Amino acid sequence: AEVMLVPSAFTVPTGRAHWELLLRTRAVETQCFVMAAAQVGQHNEKRVSWGHALIVDPWGVVLADAGGFDDGFDDLDQRDLDDRKEIHERQEQLDRVDPVALGASSCSASEEAAAAPIFPPPFEPKLAPKIAVARLDLERLREVREKMPILNQRRKDLFSVEERGAEN
């Protein structure tokens, strides 16, 4: 494998203590890029997720971090509340526009998509999804595997690798 995908919903205490450490360890021990999606924010009064979607290279270097709970997700100030109110008011105005009244007899699929809500309610600026992006350098992967050939050094008397076909 060259890339491992990891979903998560770590709580704030365990995420703060272990999330990055575990992902960097997985990247180094498997010599793969690790791309980890992560839920963030308050789910209910008892559950808060850490966030910090990460992309890590095979040497354990964090290439991208989408941020998380500690980046201000827990402190909505008055400006945030005002922004949300303004966005909802603009959306309500857009929702009241009748395309037929404007002279359009029918809308194409692309026009309907363009008229769809820009920010579907409830939109919360600080909780908006973030995307972590990084270039995965496969040459770097090759270099790491060449400098540290862990598959060649495994104890075949203790561990075996079995390949299973599609029929299993």
Side-chain angles (χ1 to χ4, degrees):
E2 294 173 336
V3 178
M4 287 178 38
L5 304 177
V6 180
S8 85
F10 269 60
T11 63
V12 171
T14 57
R16 182 177 284 127
H18 304 295
W19 176 239
E20 183 178 324
L21 171 69
L22 290 171
L23 292 173
R24 293 178 68 205
T25 301
R26 291 299 83 77
V28 171
E29 73 183 2
T30 62
Q31 294 183 327
C32 291
F33 288 96
V34 173
M35 300 175 74
Q39 292 183 26
V40 65
Q42 185 91 32
H43 302 286
N44 57 46
E45 57 276 349
K46 294 182 179 181
R47 175 84 180 170
V48 182
S49 289
W50 174 243
H52 288 278
L54 296 176
I55 301 174
V56 184
D57 85 354
W59 197 248
V61 175
V62 175
L63 302 176
D65 182 340
F69 187 82
D70 60 336
D71 293 336
F73 283 95
D74 58 338
D75 64 333
L76 291 174
D77 60 20
Q78 187 60 45
R79 189 177 55 198
D80 298 319
L81 298 173
D82 293 343
D83 288 346
R84 268 192 278 171
K85 182 178 178 185
E86 182 181 338
I87 290 167
H88 284 296
E89 288 170 357
R90 284 185 49 98
Q91 189 61 55
E92 286 174 2
Q93 290 172 351
L94 290 172
D95 290 343
R96 288 193 294 267
V97 174
D98 181 4
V100 175
L102 294 175
S105 57
S106 66
C107 293
S108 68
S110 62
E111 290 170 328
E112 284 180 19
I118 299 168
F119 302 111
F123 176 73
E124 297 186 24
K126 289 220 173 201
L127 296 176
K130 293 183 181 179
I131 299 174
V133 179
R135 182 177 300 276
L136 303 185
D137 183 353
L138 297 180
E139 180 59 28
R140 169 86 169 139
L141 175 67
R142 188 193 63 71
E143 289 172 4
V144 168
R145 288 179 176 178
E146 190 176 280
K147 289 178 184 175
M148 196 170 59
I150 59 173
L151 287 179
N152 295 338
Q153 298 168 4
R154 71 181 182 272
R155 296 268 316 262
K156 294 177 184 170
D157 58 323
L158 297 176
F159 304 100
S160 65
V161 176
E162 296 181 17
E163 193 169 321
R164 296 183 180 205
E167 67 277 353
N168 290 339

